Amino acid sequence: MQNGFNRFGNFNNRSPLRTLVNPQEIRKSWRSGGPVITGSIIVVCVAVWLIEIILRFLAPEAYMDFVFGGVVSPSLVLMNPWRIFTSMFLHSTNVLHVLFNMMALWSVGPLLERLMGHWQYCALYFISGLGGAVGLTLWAVIEPAPGWYTYALGASGAIFGLFGAVMVVFRRVGADIRPMLIWIGINFLMPFVISGIAWQAHVGGFVTGIALTELLTNGIPRLKRKSVATRMWIYGGFIVAALIVILVLCNMSNPRLNLSL
């Protein structure tokens, strides 16, 4: 892919997370395509998780307000759309939840951030997270009880979008995608081993990440000479609009709402 994805060969020069505490190193890492956005997301997620832990032990009521005020639920997604994004930074108090998610993010994030550019990568991440919320809502239409009243939290929907994007990139450059497929398969199988995992958000994020990256790399021929940033504005805007339409259509059967065509 031109204007960004052709830098595939440089992805092994990953900057360490410690650069995020030094403003000069941050600027240097930003200019060199280092994982500044990836590291920032990890720092915020871990900081939010620490706040959850502190509140849970020192102020249980504040903890409940903090967490349940930010989780995403199909029945609330139109009334409180900010939950789609706040839920991406929340995790259960079980350290394994945030640990595995941040390890998964660090395993694919720096590569994509270098290839796509910081802001395009950031857009992919959050659009994939939106796709995860749509996946959760679509399942609520299929399984209304308890689908509409389930809730989800965590970065995994967005991270699965990154998995899908990496798979598209690997295939495009002719790399062996079998290790990535095994890793993705293991993550998809986890809900069958560990209860309480919102696999619907995983699927939604994964499909969204694949769709957006396919458009960026193999979209309209006339746009292929445009920069990655321009293509992200066009294709990202299209994907976001499509996801919003799907959310609205799904919510016509939301028991909390009374929508009609």
Side-chain angles (χ1 to χ4, degrees):
M1 181 177 178
Q2 300 173 348
N3 302 313
F5 281 98
N6 55 354
R7 297 173 294 193
F8 183 83
N10 299 324
F11 79 90
N12 283 320
N13 295 323
R14 296 181 178 179
S15 301
L17 285 174
R18 64 175 177 269
T19 60
L20 291 176
V21 300
N22 186 321
Q24 188 174 3
E25 287 296 324
I26 293 173
R27 289 193 292 270
K28 182 179 178 181
S29 182
W30 184 275
R31 289 193 297 268
S32 64
V36 178
I37 298 294
T38 302
S40 299
I41 293 171
I42 291 174
V43 168
V44 173
C45 285
V46 172
V48 170
W49 181 78
L50 290 174
I51 292 172
E52 292 178 44
I53 297 297
I54 293 171
L55 289 177
R56 185 181 182 187
F57 287 100
L58 299 182
E61 291 186 6
Y63 163 75
M64 296 295 288
D65 291 339
F66 183 78
V67 173
F68 286 97
V71 297
V72 65
S73 174
S75 66
L76 297 173
V77 72
L78 281 190
M79 292 183 286
N80 306 147
W82 63 83
R83 291 175 178 268
I84 296 171
F85 303 101
T86 55
S87 64
M88 297 183 205
F89 297 101
L90 293 167
H91 289 81
S92 70
T93 51
N94 185 337
V95 67
L96 294 179
H97 188 203
V98 67
L99 177 63
F100 284 146
N101 270 358
M102 296 306 100
M103 288 175 60
L105 176 57
W106 188 248
S107 73
V108 296
L111 162 64
L112 286 171
E113 187 169 352
R114 180 176 292 276
L115 293 176
M116 302 180 70
H118 303 294
W119 295 121
Q120 292 75 247
Y121 164 77
C122 186
L124 170 67
Y125 183 86
F126 285 106
I127 292 172
S128 296
L130 172 60
V134 171
L136 203 65
T137 307
L138 278 169
W139 185 252
V141 176
I142 298 170
E143 288 286 341
W148 284 108
Y149 299 102
T150 58
Y151 66 88
L153 71 171
S156 54
I159 293 170
F160 265 83
L162 302 186
F163 285 162
V166 167
M167 192 174 71
V168 172
V169 172
F170 274 26
R171 187 190 64 189
R172 179 166 177 78
V173 299
D176 184 2
I177 67 171
R178 286 175 295 182
M180 177 58 63
L181 290 175
I182 293 172
W183 176 243
I184 293 171
I186 290 172
N187 280 271
F188 268 123
L189 289 173
M190 285 182 66
F192 297 98
V193 179
I194 304 173
S195 62
I197 295 179
W199 62 267
Q200 304 93 334
H202 295 181
V203 174
F206 186 67
V207 171
T208 300
I210 288 177
L212 180 51
T213 311
E214 280 286 357
L215 286 172
L216 287 169
T217 57
N218 300 304
I220 300 171
R222 291 180 62 183
L223 294 178
K224 285 187 177 181
R225 294 185 179 180
K226 301 291 185 180
S227 67
V228 178
T230 299
R231 280 176 278 165
M232 178 59 78
W233 272 105
I234 296 170
Y235 294 130
F238 170 77
I239 293 290
V240 168
L243 291 173
I244 291 174
V245 169
I246 294 172
L247 275 180
V248 172
L249 292 175
C250 287
N251 271 270
M252 289 178 180
S253 59
N254 185 346
R256 286 182 181 267
L257 300 176
N258 184 22
L259 298 180
S260 59
L261 288 172

